[in-house]
Amino acid sequence: MNNNIIEEIQELKKDKNAIILAHNYQPKEIQEIADFVGDSLELCLKASQVDNIDMIVFCGVNFMAETAAIICPDKKVIIPDNRANCQMADMVSLDELKKAKSENPGVPTVLYVNSRADSKSEADIICTSANADKVVSSLDSDKFIFAPDHNLGVYSAEKTNKEAMIVPEDGHCYVHTMLQPEDIIKAREEYPDAKIVVHPECDKKLRELADYVESTGGMVRLAKDPEIKQLVVGTEIGLVTRLKRENPDKEFIPLRKDAFCLTMKLITLEKLRDALRDEKFIVTVGDSIASKARVSIDRMLNLSK
Ligand code: 13P
Ligand code: SF4
């Protein structure tokens, strides 16, 4: 059954001159059929570099596909399920952002890429979890406004010795806040020789107990380090699939087996096939928002090239 769908997807991909991009949290079968799998930053960079392609099928959540649509206005950007929202992306409103900006004149605004396009249009620069400290370091200011992830805002302030004004106070990812310090204590008992890595969307208490703090792309690189034989992985469980596939001789243990992003898992092979065949769901961003958001995304991409 899967073999037929896989063949159909390969055929349709050729017919439509399409490329499939997938986030590290996507289901195993989607990662396996994708042309490129990466973290949020790697996917933005890839979208900015694809040439001679008419269609990008984005297997991830809406803000990622929206970002690709902003970067690639000349290409059709499709998401196989348009209900694939990131809850965190909706946690800051335009009004809250505008209020923070008016109360802090001259203070630059850094928006986590996990945000809506209209919020991005209010930002000076975008960041991902892979480059938040680099982005904040590049600012010509000791203070910055940060939205919407509280934990990443605190982490980038610590790493850069700058002051973050974080909006909203409680912006978070429900998957990463599910991970608790007790999970690390338990993992240390069960796997005394393992190293432990957590995502910067985790609470500071977890960061302090872990051996490493990395974005999902950073975790992929860390797993290849010859020193790493056994790794406890504090992020969404989809990443563990990739780590195992790429390092079959090593052991990867999810910090919690229920760290599961429901909307990332809405994408299936059937929906991917239908998306290519029916060219749905097309992701578009209005010109006035896209042109402003593009400036802040390009500032980030220029730092990463
Ligand atoms: P990465 O930037 O590490 O890929 O993380 C994206 C994300 O949604 C984390 O929950
Ligand atoms: Fe959003 Fe969290 Fe899912 Fe990442 S894991 S897409 S931050 S809800």
Side-chain angles (χ1 to χ4, degrees), residues 19 30 68 141 216 272 286:
I19 186 171
I30 299 291
S141 165
T216 61
L272 173 54

Side-chain angles (χ1 to χ4, degrees), residues 25 61 86-88 114 173-176 201 236 261 264:
Y25 296 158
V61 285
C86 166
Q87 274 187 19
M88 186 206 285
N114 295 38
C173 162
Y174 73 95
V175 181
H176 288 91
E201 285 180 15
E236 209 273 349
C261 178
M264 278 279 179

